[in-house]
Amino acid sequence: MGTFVQIRVFIDEPESSRSPAKDEVVTGLIERAFAEIRRLEGLMTTWRDDSEISRINAAAGQSAVAVSPEVMEVIERSLAFSRMSGGAFDISFYALKGLWRFDDDLTPALPDPVELRRRLPLINWRLIAVDRPNHSVRLGKPGMAINLGGIGKGYAVDAAVTVLKRGGLKNGLVQAGGDLMIFGSKGGQPFMAGVRDPRSLDPQDYFAVCPIIDHAFSTAGDYERAFIYPKDKKRYHHILDPRTGYPARAARSVTVYAKDATTADGLDDAILIMGVQRGLQLIESIPDAGAIIVDSKNKVHISSRLRSLVQIAHPPSDGI
C-alpha cells in the first residue's frame, strides 16, 4: 500500500506469567492480521494489472467487471463520501494518472495544462456504476480510472483489527501510514495519539495530542508526497482537488477522529479539499466524529467534539 504498517497488541498480565503457547497464539494472530492486509492490497492495488481495480480501469466505458464483496463495499463507501462531500472526495481522480509524479517517481514538474484539461471531464464519481445484484462495477467513459488510495488503507486497518479482536485480543492498535485504529485501552488508560506538525522537519514532532479509546485517528497532509516547485516556490502534493486537477490548497493537514478507520480515511482527504468552513460543517454532521484542521494560513481549527480532548503542545511550525 505504499506505506509502513505496524500492529501492536497489549496483554494485561505480566510477561513472566504468560506461557510460551499464549505468546505463540498472539504472534499468530498478528501474522493473520498482516496477511489480511496483504490480501486486500492484492484486490485493490493499481500496481498490478490483475487486481480487481486494475481490471475495472481496463474495462472503462466498455463493460462491467465482477468484484469481490470487499471491493464492492469500499467502492460503495467511497461513493457515499463523494455524495456527502459534494464530490470533494472522488476515487475517479485516477484519470490523471501520470500527469503528476508523487510516488517513487517523484518529479518536481507541473503537468501539461492542455492534457490536464482534456482529462478533467473523466473525473466524475456519478459515472461509477455499482450493480450489487450482479456484484459488478462499471466506469461510464473510456479513459476513466479509479484508485482507492484515499480510503483503502483505512479499510485494511479495520479488517486487521477485526482479525485481532475475533482472536480474543482486547487492546492494541493497527496503523498504516496516517491511518490509525485503536481498540481497547493501554492498561485501562487511553492511548495518546499525536497530530504531526505539517511543516516540521521532524516526523515525530506532534503539535497536538489526543487521548483515544476505541476510535480511529487518521491524518491527511500536504507534506508526505510533495515537492516545492522551483519556479513559483509553491508546494505541490498528492491530494488533488477533483474540480481542478491540482493539489488542494485550503489546508495543510486534517486529522479525523471517527469510530472506524474507513470513515476517518475517507473524511480526512475530503475535508482537506473542502477547506475549513465546509469541512467543519461536514464533520459536525457525522455522529461521534471530529476533526483537527491546520489551514493554509497555519491556523488550527478544532471541531466541537474534540475541543475538550485535544491538547496543543505548541503552535504548528510555519513554512511553505
PDB file of all heavy atoms in Angstrom, residues 277-295:
ATOM      1  N   GLN A 277     -14.440  25.814   6.506  1.00  0.00           N
ATOM      2  CA  GLN A 277     -15.863  26.046   6.764  1.00  0.00           C
ATOM      3  C   GLN A 277     -16.713  24.842   6.380  1.00  0.00           C
ATOM      4  O   GLN A 277     -17.477  24.313   7.197  1.00  0.00           O
ATOM      5  CB  GLN A 277     -16.342  27.288   6.010  1.00  0.00           C
ATOM      6  CG  GLN A 277     -17.801  27.629   6.285  1.00  0.00           C
ATOM      7  CD  GLN A 277     -18.231  28.934   5.613  1.00  0.00           C
ATOM      8  OE1 GLN A 277     -17.441  29.624   4.994  1.00  0.00           O
ATOM      9  NE2 GLN A 277     -19.506  29.266   5.729  1.00  0.00           N
ATOM     10  N   ARG A 278     -16.602  24.404   5.142  1.00  0.00           N
ATOM     11  CA  ARG A 278     -17.409  23.269   4.690  1.00  0.00           C
ATOM     12  C   ARG A 278     -16.966  21.977   5.377  1.00  0.00           C
ATOM     13  O   ARG A 278     -17.790  21.106   5.673  1.00  0.00           O
ATOM     14  CB  ARG A 278     -17.316  23.125   3.172  1.00  0.00           C
ATOM     15  CG  ARG A 278     -18.003  24.250   2.405  1.00  0.00           C
ATOM     16  CD  ARG A 278     -17.852  24.044   0.905  1.00  0.00           C
ATOM     17  NE  ARG A 278     -18.414  22.764   0.496  1.00  0.00           N
ATOM     18  CZ  ARG A 278     -17.885  21.974  -0.436  1.00  0.00           C
ATOM     19  NH1 ARG A 278     -16.748  22.317  -1.027  1.00  0.00           N
ATOM     20  NH2 ARG A 278     -18.471  20.844  -0.777  1.00  0.00           N
ATOM     21  N   GLY A 279     -15.657  21.856   5.630  1.00  0.00           N
ATOM     22  CA  GLY A 279     -15.168  20.655   6.281  1.00  0.00           C
ATOM     23  C   GLY A 279     -15.699  20.494   7.691  1.00  0.00           C
ATOM     24  O   GLY A 279     -16.088  19.396   8.108  1.00  0.00           O
ATOM     25  N   LEU A 280     -15.728  21.591   8.456  1.00  0.00           N
ATOM     26  CA  LEU A 280     -16.273  21.522   9.810  1.00  0.00           C
ATOM     27  C   LEU A 280     -17.773  21.250   9.787  1.00  0.00           C
ATOM     28  O   LEU A 280     -18.290  20.514  10.634  1.00  0.00           O
ATOM     29  CB  LEU A 280     -15.976  22.817  10.563  1.00  0.00           C
ATOM     30  CG  LEU A 280     -14.514  23.015  10.992  1.00  0.00           C
ATOM     31  CD1 LEU A 280     -14.333  24.375  11.656  1.00  0.00           C
ATOM     32  CD2 LEU A 280     -14.043  21.900  11.933  1.00  0.00           C
ATOM     33  N   GLN A 281     -18.473  21.824   8.827  1.00  0.00           N
ATOM     34  CA  GLN A 281     -19.905  21.525   8.708  1.00  0.00           C
ATOM     35  C   GLN A 281     -20.129  20.038   8.467  1.00  0.00           C
ATOM     36  O   GLN A 281     -21.028  19.423   9.049  1.00  0.00           O
ATOM     37  CB  GLN A 281     -20.520  22.340   7.564  1.00  0.00           C
ATOM     38  CG  GLN A 281     -20.644  23.824   7.852  1.00  0.00           C
ATOM     39  CD  GLN A 281     -21.125  24.617   6.645  1.00  0.00           C
ATOM     40  OE1 GLN A 281     -21.191  24.094   5.530  1.00  0.00           O
ATOM     41  NE2 GLN A 281     -21.449  25.879   6.860  1.00  0.00           N
ATOM     42  N   LEU A 282     -19.283  19.450   7.621  1.00  0.00           N
ATOM     43  CA  LEU A 282     -19.418  18.024   7.331  1.00  0.00           C
ATOM     44  C   LEU A 282     -19.133  17.187   8.571  1.00  0.00           C
ATOM     45  O   LEU A 282     -19.925  16.298   8.929  1.00  0.00           O
ATOM     46  CB  LEU A 282     -18.473  17.631   6.195  1.00  0.00           C
ATOM     47  CG  LEU A 282     -18.374  16.130   5.886  1.00  0.00           C
ATOM     48  CD1 LEU A 282     -19.730  15.555   5.514  1.00  0.00           C
ATOM     49  CD2 LEU A 282     -17.361  15.883   4.773  1.00  0.00           C
ATOM     50  N   ILE A 283     -18.031  17.452   9.252  1.00  0.00           N
ATOM     51  CA  ILE A 283     -17.650  16.597  10.380  1.00  0.00           C
ATOM     52  C   ILE A 283     -18.639  16.737  11.531  1.00  0.00           C
ATOM     53  O   ILE A 283     -18.904  15.777  12.251  1.00  0.00           O
ATOM     54  CB  ILE A 283     -16.205  16.910  10.839  1.00  0.00           C
ATOM     55  CG1 ILE A 283     -15.607  15.706  11.597  1.00  0.00           C
ATOM     56  CG2 ILE A 283     -16.148  18.152  11.712  1.00  0.00           C
ATOM     57  CD1 ILE A 283     -15.289  14.529  10.730  1.00  0.00           C
ATOM     58  N   GLU A 284     -19.223  17.920  11.702  1.00  0.00           N
ATOM     59  CA  GLU A 284     -20.203  18.095  12.778  1.00  0.00           C
ATOM     60  C   GLU A 284     -21.495  17.328  12.486  1.00  0.00           C
ATOM     61  O   GLU A 284     -22.265  17.027  13.400  1.00  0.00           O
ATOM     62  CB  GLU A 284     -20.525  19.583  12.972  1.00  0.00           C
ATOM     63  CG  GLU A 284     -19.345  20.448  13.386  1.00  0.00           C
ATOM     64  CD  GLU A 284     -18.877  20.223  14.822  1.00  0.00           C
ATOM     65  OE1 GLU A 284     -19.339  19.261  15.458  1.00  0.00           O
ATOM     66  OE2 GLU A 284     -18.039  21.005  15.289  1.00  0.00           O
ATOM     67  N   SER A 285     -21.728  16.983  11.221  1.00  0.00           N
ATOM     68  CA  SER A 285     -22.952  16.265  10.862  1.00  0.00           C
ATOM     69  C   SER A 285     -22.821  14.759  11.037  1.00  0.00           C
ATOM     70  O   SER A 285     -23.806  14.027  10.888  1.00  0.00           O
ATOM     71  CB  SER A 285     -23.318  16.569   9.404  1.00  0.00           C
ATOM     72  OG  SER A 285     -22.418  15.932   8.502  1.00  0.00           O
ATOM     73  N   ILE A 286     -21.629  14.287  11.350  1.00  0.00           N
ATOM     74  CA  ILE A 286     -21.380  12.851  11.451  1.00  0.00           C
ATOM     75  C   ILE A 286     -21.287  12.464  12.925  1.00  0.00           C
ATOM     76  O   ILE A 286     -20.463  13.013  13.663  1.00  0.00           O
ATOM     77  CB  ILE A 286     -20.098  12.480  10.698  1.00  0.00           C
ATOM     78  CG1 ILE A 286     -20.280  12.795   9.210  1.00  0.00           C
ATOM     79  CG2 ILE A 286     -19.742  11.011  10.890  1.00  0.00           C
ATOM     80  CD1 ILE A 286     -19.027  12.677   8.404  1.00  0.00           C
ATOM     81  N   PRO A 287     -22.112  11.524  13.378  1.00  0.00           N
ATOM     82  CA  PRO A 287     -22.090  11.143  14.798  1.00  0.00           C
ATOM     83  C   PRO A 287     -20.721  10.638  15.241  1.00  0.00           C
ATOM     84  O   PRO A 287     -20.046   9.901  14.516  1.00  0.00           O
ATOM     85  CB  PRO A 287     -23.143  10.026  14.868  1.00  0.00           C
ATOM     86  CG  PRO A 287     -24.031  10.249  13.686  1.00  0.00           C
ATOM     87  CD  PRO A 287     -23.144  10.796  12.615  1.00  0.00           C
ATOM     88  N   ASP A 288     -20.331  11.049  16.437  1.00  0.00           N
ATOM     89  CA  ASP A 288     -19.112  10.552  17.088  1.00  0.00           C
ATOM     90  C   ASP A 288     -17.866  10.757  16.237  1.00  0.00           C
ATOM     91  O   ASP A 288     -16.986   9.907  16.178  1.00  0.00           O
ATOM     92  CB  ASP A 288     -19.270   9.072  17.433  1.00  0.00           C
ATOM     93  CG  ASP A 288     -18.335   8.641  18.553  1.00  0.00           C
ATOM     94  OD1 ASP A 288     -17.712   9.525  19.179  1.00  0.00           O
ATOM     95  OD2 ASP A 288     -18.207   7.431  18.789  1.00  0.00           O
ATOM     96  N   ALA A 289     -17.797  11.908  15.566  1.00  0.00           N
ATOM     97  CA  ALA A 289     -16.631  12.217  14.732  1.00  0.00           C
ATOM     98  C   ALA A 289     -16.161  13.631  15.033  1.00  0.00           C
ATOM     99  O   ALA A 289     -16.925  14.488  15.510  1.00  0.00           O
ATOM    100  CB  ALA A 289     -16.968  12.084  13.250  1.00  0.00           C
ATOM    101  N   GLY A 290     -14.883  13.874  14.778  1.00  0.00           N
ATOM    102  CA  GLY A 290     -14.318  15.200  14.999  1.00  0.00           C
ATOM    103  C   GLY A 290     -13.120  15.413  14.091  1.00  0.00           C
ATOM    104  O   GLY A 290     -12.646  14.483  13.424  1.00  0.00           O
ATOM    105  N   ALA A 291     -12.635  16.642  14.055  1.00  0.00           N
ATOM    106  CA  ALA A 291     -11.513  16.953  13.171  1.00  0.00           C
ATOM    107  C   ALA A 291     -10.636  18.046  13.771  1.00  0.00           C
ATOM    108  O   ALA A 291     -11.112  18.919  14.508  1.00  0.00           O
ATOM    109  CB  ALA A 291     -12.014  17.398  11.799  1.00  0.00           C
ATOM    110  N   ILE A 292      -9.343  17.949  13.433  1.00  0.00           N
ATOM    111  CA  ILE A 292      -8.359  18.989  13.749  1.00  0.00           C
ATOM    112  C   ILE A 292      -7.780  19.440  12.413  1.00  0.00           C
ATOM    113  O   ILE A 292      -7.209  18.631  11.682  1.00  0.00           O
ATOM    114  CB  ILE A 292      -7.240  18.436  14.649  1.00  0.00           C
ATOM    115  CG1 ILE A 292      -7.837  17.793  15.906  1.00  0.00           C
ATOM    116  CG2 ILE A 292      -6.243  19.532  15.029  1.00  0.00           C
ATOM    117  CD1 ILE A 292      -6.917  16.786  16.555  1.00  0.00           C
ATOM    118  N   ILE A 293      -7.940  20.702  12.092  1.00  0.00           N
ATOM    119  CA  ILE A 293      -7.522  21.222  10.795  1.00  0.00           C
ATOM    120  C   ILE A 293      -6.454  22.282  10.987  1.00  0.00           C
ATOM    121  O   ILE A 293      -6.626  23.205  11.791  1.00  0.00           O
ATOM    122  CB  ILE A 293      -8.715  21.843  10.035  1.00  0.00           C
ATOM    123  CG1 ILE A 293      -9.861  20.829   9.895  1.00  0.00           C
ATOM    124  CG2 ILE A 293      -8.276  22.358   8.661  1.00  0.00           C
ATOM    125  CD1 ILE A 293     -11.148  21.429   9.328  1.00  0.00           C
ATOM    126  N   VAL A 294      -5.357  22.154  10.258  1.00  0.00           N
ATOM    127  CA  VAL A 294      -4.380  23.233  10.143  1.00  0.00           C
ATOM    128  C   VAL A 294      -4.604  23.848   8.770  1.00  0.00           C
ATOM    129  O   VAL A 294      -4.350  23.208   7.748  1.00  0.00           O
ATOM    130  CB  VAL A 294      -2.929  22.716  10.270  1.00  0.00           C
ATOM    131  CG1 VAL A 294      -1.948  23.884  10.175  1.00  0.00           C
ATOM    132  CG2 VAL A 294      -2.738  21.977  11.585  1.00  0.00           C
ATOM    133  N   ASP A 295      -5.116  25.062   8.729  1.00  0.00           N
ATOM    134  CA  ASP A 295      -5.492  25.645   7.441  1.00  0.00           C
ATOM    135  C   ASP A 295      -4.272  26.172   6.688  1.00  0.00           C
ATOM    136  O   ASP A 295      -3.127  26.071   7.152  1.00  0.00           O
ATOM    137  CB  ASP A 295      -6.570  26.716   7.619  1.00  0.00           C
ATOM    138  CG  ASP A 295      -6.083  27.981   8.323  1.00  0.00           C
ATOM    139  OD1 ASP A 295      -4.863  28.228   8.395  1.00  0.00           O
ATOM    140  OD2 ASP A 295      -6.943  28.755   8.804  1.00  0.00           O
TER     141      ASP A 295
END
